[in-house]
Amino acid sequence: MKNKAKRYLSFLVCVTMFLGCLGIGFTAFGNDLVAINSDNFPDAVFRSVISDRYDSNSDGFLSAAERDISLMSIPGMADDESIKTLKGIEYFSDSLTVLRCGAINLEELDTSSLVNLTSLTCMGNMLKTLDVSHNTKLVTLNCSSNMLTSLTLGSLSSLNMLHCYANNLTSIDVSKLTNLTDFRCDQNELTSLDVSKNTLLKEFTCSTNHLVSLDLSNNTALDAVVGPSIGGQTTTAQALMHGVEIIIPFSVDKETCITSTSLDKGDFSGYSLGEFVAYDVNDFKDGVDYTYSTSLPNSEDMTVHIDVSRDFYQVNFYTAEDMQECLGVSFVKANGSAAEPKIPSVEPCKAFDRWSGDVTDVTEDMRVYIIWKDNHSYSLCAFDNGTATINCPVCSDSYTVIFKDCINAKETDGNYCKYIDVVKDGYINAKDYAQLIKMF
């Protein structure tokens, strides 16, 4: 009997302890306490913010009631403080609808659990990627002034404001944001942009990107679109040699939407059939500019600047040192030889000697001119009193030679004159003098 009593008493103790443990468990579960510790909130500064702002009874735990908030606005940090991550914010997912965490130096932000979020402001941080595709109730998103290279939006059918300007985005898909009315994506690295599905847009800027085309024909709800809100686009292109022309291949969505270019001259259009055309590298040394019609009646044209690179040089040939008359232009690869133009007969008794620069090993743009040499048809026309007169019948140029200054000169001497060596023996002596007296 005593053994049975002991066993029964032990059983009651075990049951009591078990129920006690269950009671503790239920209490903890019922209160749904979240410890404010490094496991749940690994960022020390964010953990401090949570403790100061939301742990109302300062017990080191967040109850369900303490986490029942719709707005979280994280204050700006001191100069020596920053919040790198908001890990732990998922404990507020049931009620949080507005999150403001701008300018706190965030490096990562995971909002996937905040399924009730309607407004997110995280501008002025250091985020490189952001995925809000799970936040399907979002109405406004401002993630501008970060370092974003990726922004995943998904199908946010409720989103009507998206500000993502001043980032590093090379692409953005807003095709499923059909209720978007306010969209700013300026100051990014976008090379293309399709807003044809965003027909409710009323406010829009996309300036300072790398767009070459822009179609706003479906965005008829937009107010007057001014140039600064869509212009300032920059891009690059490569110039190619093409005979006497320089062509710059360049594709846009609609060629007819290019309304003017910096290469236009008179009736000549600088753009045609998918390429810009120039005849001088100076025409695009500062790049090429063009304007592009957005196909929206109340929109100004978009301005685009092209930085043009090339791997060839230009040589200009001129008739004289004043470089007023250009004979021709040659385009040549580095260290190549320029094709020389036909030498004209500029004036009588002049012949081509050489170019003012070496055009057989071109390493830079060059402007060269002809260096002429005399090419007179001189002959002896008079001899009087020991002085010979030498004359060019073509141009009437003449000069005189005193015979005694040439006595005993031979062909290799500086004072030799072939026109008074009338005996033609290579020497100037008395025989020549006698012959000259007979001739004149």
Side-chain angles (χ1 to χ4, degrees), residues 320-369:
E321 187 174 2
D322 61 8
M323 296 188 183
Q324 295 298 308
E325 182 182 352
C326 184
L327 292 174
V329 177
S330 177
F331 304 114
V332 58
K333 294 283 189 178
N335 301 112
S337 295
E340 301 178 25
K342 182 179 179 181
I343 306 300
S345 298
V346 176
E347 56 181 278
C349 298
K350 292 289 184 182
F352 175 81
D353 184 22
R354 65 187 186 279
W355 295 105
S356 62
D358 182 7
V359 298
T360 64
D361 184 20
V362 179
T363 58
E364 61 182 350
D365 292 329
M366 299 177 66
R367 301 173 74 207
V368 297
Y369 58 89

Side-chain angles (χ1 to χ4, degrees), residues 123-346:
M123 64 182 297
N125 284 297
M126 303 180 69
L127 301 174
K128 294 183 179 180
T129 63
L130 181 64
D131 184 349
V132 293
S133 59
H134 298 283
N135 308 111
T136 56
K137 296 181 181 180
L138 265 184
V139 176
T140 64
L141 170 60
N142 186 344
C143 56
S144 55
S145 300
N146 273 281
M147 303 168 65
L148 293 176
T149 58
S150 173
L151 176 58
T152 305
L153 298 166
S155 303
L156 303 183
S157 59
S158 298
L159 195 69
N160 62 39
M161 188 202 86
L162 172 58
H163 288 183
C164 57
Y165 59 87
N167 276 291
N168 299 317
L169 296 171
T170 57
S171 63
I172 186 169
D173 183 3
V174 293
S175 61
K176 297 178 181 179
L177 312 183
T178 53
N179 282 305
L180 202 61
T181 60
D182 184 357
F183 180 32
R184 285 194 59 181
C185 60
D186 45 300
Q187 302 174 66
N188 272 285
E189 306 294 333
L190 299 175
T191 57
S192 63
L193 183 63
D194 182 0
V195 290
S196 61
K197 302 295 191 296
N198 312 109
T199 57
L200 301 182
L201 274 181
K202 294 183 178 180
E203 302 290 336
F204 173 63
T205 60
C206 66
S207 59
T208 321
N209 275 287
H210 307 304
L211 306 180
V212 299
S213 307
L214 181 63
D215 185 359
L216 300 179
S217 58
N218 287 350
N219 307 105
T220 54
L222 282 174
D223 293 330
V225 178
V226 296
S229 67
I230 59 175
Q233 308 295 336
T234 59
T235 188
T236 59
Q238 175 78 30
L240 306 173
M241 299 184 298
H242 190 259
V244 297
E245 295 180 333
I246 302 168
I247 63 169
I248 306 169
F250 195 81
S251 297
V252 295
D253 289 344
K254 292 183 180 180
E255 294 184 2
T256 55
C257 286
I258 291 184
T259 54
S260 67
T261 85
S262 58
L263 297 177
D264 295 346
K265 295 181 179 179
D267 294 333
F268 169 74
S269 173
Y271 183 82
S272 178
L273 301 176
E275 60 189 27
F276 290 96
V277 179
Y279 296 92
D280 193 308
V281 294
N282 290 310
D283 292 340
F284 58 86
K285 67 178 181 179
D286 296 321
V288 174
D289 297 292
Y290 70 90
T291 54
Y292 190 89
S293 172
T294 66
S295 301
L296 182 67
N298 59 342
S299 170
E300 294 182 6
D301 290 346
M302 180 177 70
T303 58
V304 182
H305 175 80
I306 309 171
D307 288 316
V308 182
S309 59
R310 57 186 168 103
D311 60 357
F312 60 89
Y313 300 109
Q314 175 176 308
V315 180
N316 287 40
F317 297 89
Y318 294 89
T319 58
E321 187 174 2
D322 61 8
M323 296 188 183
Q324 295 298 308
E325 182 182 352
C326 184
L327 292 174
V329 177
S330 177
F331 304 114
V332 58
K333 294 283 189 178
N335 301 112
S337 295
E340 301 178 25
K342 182 179 179 181
I343 306 300
S345 298
V346 176

Side-chain angles (χ1 to χ4, degrees), residues 31-37 40-41 59-64 66-67 88 91:
N31 290 334
D32 198 15
L33 297 178
V34 174
I36 305 175
N37 56 27
N40 293 327
F41 300 92
D59 63 352
F61 293 87
L62 292 175
S63 66
E66 288 171 326
R67 289 182 285 113
Y91 295 113

